[in-house]
Amino acid sequence: MTTYFLTVSITTIGYGDVTPTTDGSRIFTIFYVLLGLVVVFQIILGYVELLIKVIQNRLENFVLSFFFPGWSNEDLHTSEMLLKRESFSHVFKLSFSAFLIILVWFLGSIFYYRTNDDLSGAESIYWTFCTMTTIGYGDLEVGNEGGS
């Protein structure tokens, strides 16, 4: 239960099913979450930036060579291709980010739907959305016996 509480706290989800009960534990939670967020987000940020750069470069090269046959890395020296790549890069980053968010949302929804008999499909989608956005209403519980 302690690991569950610490994980839910550091990710700022806070379902409300387990909470600090004393003043000392509340003060500890404040400092734990503040320090933990800095550490966790720095670690995650480093990995995500690296992953996105690798994926973005590979996909950009693939898409550019598809839409601009004969394109190669040497073409980056021409101003026309540089402008096309910069324009494409902005659209690509936005589209790719939206795709990843939706993918994680629906994969999480499918996971919770398949592992929790008490949630309907709509409840699984709603619960995953609330978790991803750190809303934490606490109106739906994913069983504490095995789900925590």
Side-chain angles (χ1 to χ4, degrees):
M1 196 57 85
T2 301
T3 303
Y4 170 72
F5 172 74
L6 293 174
T7 302
V8 167
S9 297
I10 206 166
T11 56
T12 69
I13 295 171
Y15 292 116
D17 55 342
V18 179
T19 59
T21 55
T22 66
D23 289 343
S25 63
R26 290 182 184 109
I27 299 299
F28 169 79
T29 301
I30 291 169
F31 287 105
Y32 171 77
V33 169
L34 289 174
L35 178 64
L37 284 175
V38 170
V39 172
V40 168
F41 286 144
Q42 283 298 102
I43 292 169
I44 291 172
L45 181 64
Y47 284 116
V48 168
E49 283 179 341
L50 179 63
L51 178 65
I52 286 176
K53 280 182 184 179
V54 169
I55 292 171
Q56 178 183 350
N57 284 337
R58 289 184 181 192
L59 285 174
E60 278 183 0
N61 288 335
F62 171 76
V63 172
L64 283 171
S65 64
F66 181 78
F67 286 109
F68 305 104
W71 177 85
S72 67
N73 284 332
E74 289 116 28
D75 292 333
L76 279 178
H77 300 293
T78 66
S79 59
E80 180 183 342
M81 185 53 82
L82 187 57
L83 288 174
K84 287 179 182 178
R85 185 175 179 121
E86 285 179 17
S87 175
F88 172 78
S89 182
H90 293 291
V91 172
F92 175 81
K93 286 178 183 177
L94 182 61
S95 301
F96 187 66
S97 297
F99 169 76
L100 287 179
I101 290 169
I102 292 168
L103 178 68
V104 169
W105 179 18
F106 281 103
L107 288 177
S109 300
I110 291 168
F111 173 79
Y112 284 109
Y113 179 71
R114 304 274 292 157
T115 59
N116 294 287
D117 295 332
D118 55 335
L119 289 181
S120 70
E123 287 174 329
S124 297
I125 292 169
Y126 169 76
W127 189 83
T128 305
F129 177 79
C130 288
T131 300
M132 287 179 61
T133 56
T134 70
I135 294 171
Y137 290 122
D139 55 343
L140 291 178
E141 279 191 34
V142 177
N144 283 336
E145 296 166 348
S148 300

